[in-house]
């Protein structure tokens, strides 16, 4: 189903897709009607392509399919029915939508590094890109009976989408939690956000550059409350070593996002010079910064990939946390 939704824009509900997804439609008149005066060669008029397509999608709860239908059959009466159905789904989603978390304003000082939000678009196979920025800094976390704990924090903003996110990386001090580090994610969207809010964050990936293919951190992601997620990094020695190496050496984060509307997105976040410095400071404070780190060499094929292709690869993977 996920793959059908993703390719809805390029296939645009062509007749081949409709005929393969619909049961056969009987076109001949019934014997009873034929016996009541209908001519022997008469039969019911065949349905139009738009009518066949509408039969396939009229009961769907997926807004992306309805939008693709409207894009393809916008001049027909059935497009009006599809628009009414789409508005009905959006109204129901808005009514059931929980209150989004609120975040403080973006810091006014600090160097802004690059951020890009890539979203699925049923009318464009390449998707949509929205530019934003991130400010990295350290923050002190209060702990009971112990010195303040240092953490790495990122404040992310995508102004054109009304999306804000904070990401905080901490050392795990809870012995009952089988994780070496925890990442807290809080995502807030504007009231008119057409994605309906954030339903899930499957995990976190690290990559060598914006166009490279990301490698997942060994971690487990759970939803805490609406808009809030907790990602625990594996405490297994081999996983921990690999995770720390990628966090320190790879300059870009990928945060895959599933919206309530069933669309998917990727938030690509650059560490930049300020992020590198923040990570070095916190890992040094934790006594986990290696004496010498060898620069990681990205595979040559990674640097050749374009973002749309990587976006499609990442988005078509399952939504399970790595």
């Amino acid at each position: 189903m996920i793959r059908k939704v993703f390719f809805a824009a390029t296939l645009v509900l062509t007749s081949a897709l409709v005929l393969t997804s619909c049961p056969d439609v009987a076109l001949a008149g019934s014997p009873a009607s034929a016996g009541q005066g209908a001519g022997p060669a008469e039969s019911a008029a065949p349905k139009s392509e738009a009518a066949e397509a509408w039969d396939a999608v009229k009961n769907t709860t997926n807004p992306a399919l309805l939008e693709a239908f409207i894009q393809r059959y916008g001049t027909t009466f059935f497009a009006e029915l599809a628009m009414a159905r789409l508005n009905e789904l959006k109204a129901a989603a808005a009514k059931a939508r929980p209150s989004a978390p609120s975040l403080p304003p973006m810091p006014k000082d600090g160097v802004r590094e690059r951020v890009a939000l890539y979203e699925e678009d049923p009318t464009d196979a390449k998707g949509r890109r929205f530019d934003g920025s991130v400010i990295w800094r350290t923050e002190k976390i209060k702990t009971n009976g112990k010195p303040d704990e240092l953490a790495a924090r990122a404040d992310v903003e995508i102004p054109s989408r009304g999306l804000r996110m904070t990401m905080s990386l901490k050392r795990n001090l809870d012995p009952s939690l089988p994780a070496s580090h925890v990442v807290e994610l809080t995502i807030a969207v504007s009231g008119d956000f057409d994605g309906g809010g954030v339903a899930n964050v499957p995990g976190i990936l690290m990559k060598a550059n914006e166009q490279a293919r990301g490698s997942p951190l060994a971690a487990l992601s759970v939803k805490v409350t609406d808009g809030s997620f907790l990602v625990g990094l594996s405490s297994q020695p081999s996983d921990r070593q690999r995770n720390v190496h990628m966090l320190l050496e790879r300059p870009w984060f990928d945060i895959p996002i599933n919206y309530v509307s069933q669309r998917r997105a990727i938030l690509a976040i650059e560490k930049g010079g300020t992020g590198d410095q923040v990570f070095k400071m916190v890992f040094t404070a934790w006594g986990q910064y290696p004496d010498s780190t060898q620069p990681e060499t990205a595979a040559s094929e990674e640097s050749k990939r374009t973002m749309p292709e990587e976006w499609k690869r990442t988005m078509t993977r399952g939504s399970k946390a790595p």
Side-chain angles (χ1 to χ4, degrees), residues 231-299:
V231 182
L233 305 190
S234 173
S235 59
Q236 293 295 324
S238 58
D239 291 340
R240 175 173 178 162
Q241 182 178 7
R242 176 177 173 273
N243 285 343
V244 170
H245 179 75
M246 287 199 294
L247 285 168
L248 290 173
E249 296 298 325
R250 295 204 176 183
W252 282 83
F253 284 82
D254 263 354
I255 312 293
I257 298 172
N258 296 332
Y259 293 147
V260 173
S261 65
Q262 300 183 35
R263 289 188 189 176
R264 291 165 293 180
I266 285 182
L267 193 59
I269 305 171
E270 181 187 32
K271 285 164 60 182
T274 57
D276 282 338
Q277 186 63 27
V278 166
F279 274 71
K280 182 175 181 179
M281 289 176 62
V282 297
F283 276 92
T284 299
W286 298 336
Q288 298 175 358
Y289 190 82
D291 294 336
S292 62
T293 56
Q294 298 298 323
E296 185 172 343
T297 303

Side-chain angles (χ1 to χ4, degrees), residues 47-59:
K47 289 185 176 182
S48 67
E49 178 186 325
E52 294 279 7
W54 176 241
D55 282 344
V57 302
K58 63 183 180 182
N59 294 321

Side-chain angles (χ1 to χ4, degrees), residues 28-29 34 37-44:
E42 288 184 352
S43 61

Side-chain angles (χ1 to χ4, degrees), residues 64-145:
L65 289 180
L66 293 171
E67 290 173 352
F69 180 93
I70 295 168
Q71 179 73 15
R72 174 66 177 86
Y73 302 107
T75 60
T76 68
F77 166 72
F78 297 100
E80 297 180 12
L81 297 178
M83 180 61 72
R85 174 65 173 158
L86 179 61
N87 291 336
E88 179 184 338
L89 293 178
K90 288 183 176 180
K95 184 177 181 180
R97 185 182 304 167
S99 58
S102 59
L103 291 175
M106 283 285 289
K108 294 183 179 180
D109 55 348
V111 177
R112 289 180 178 252
E113 307 291 357
R114 292 176 296 167
V115 173
L117 175 67
Y118 294 86
E119 292 185 346
E120 286 181 328
D121 186 344
T123 64
D124 187 347
K126 293 182 179 180
R128 300 184 295 174
R129 171 185 169 129
F130 304 91
D131 291 325
S133 61
V134 57
I135 296 178
W136 292 96
R137 57 191 173 95
T138 61
E139 64 176 350
K140 292 184 178 181
I141 308 297
K142 296 293 183 179
T143 57
N144 293 330

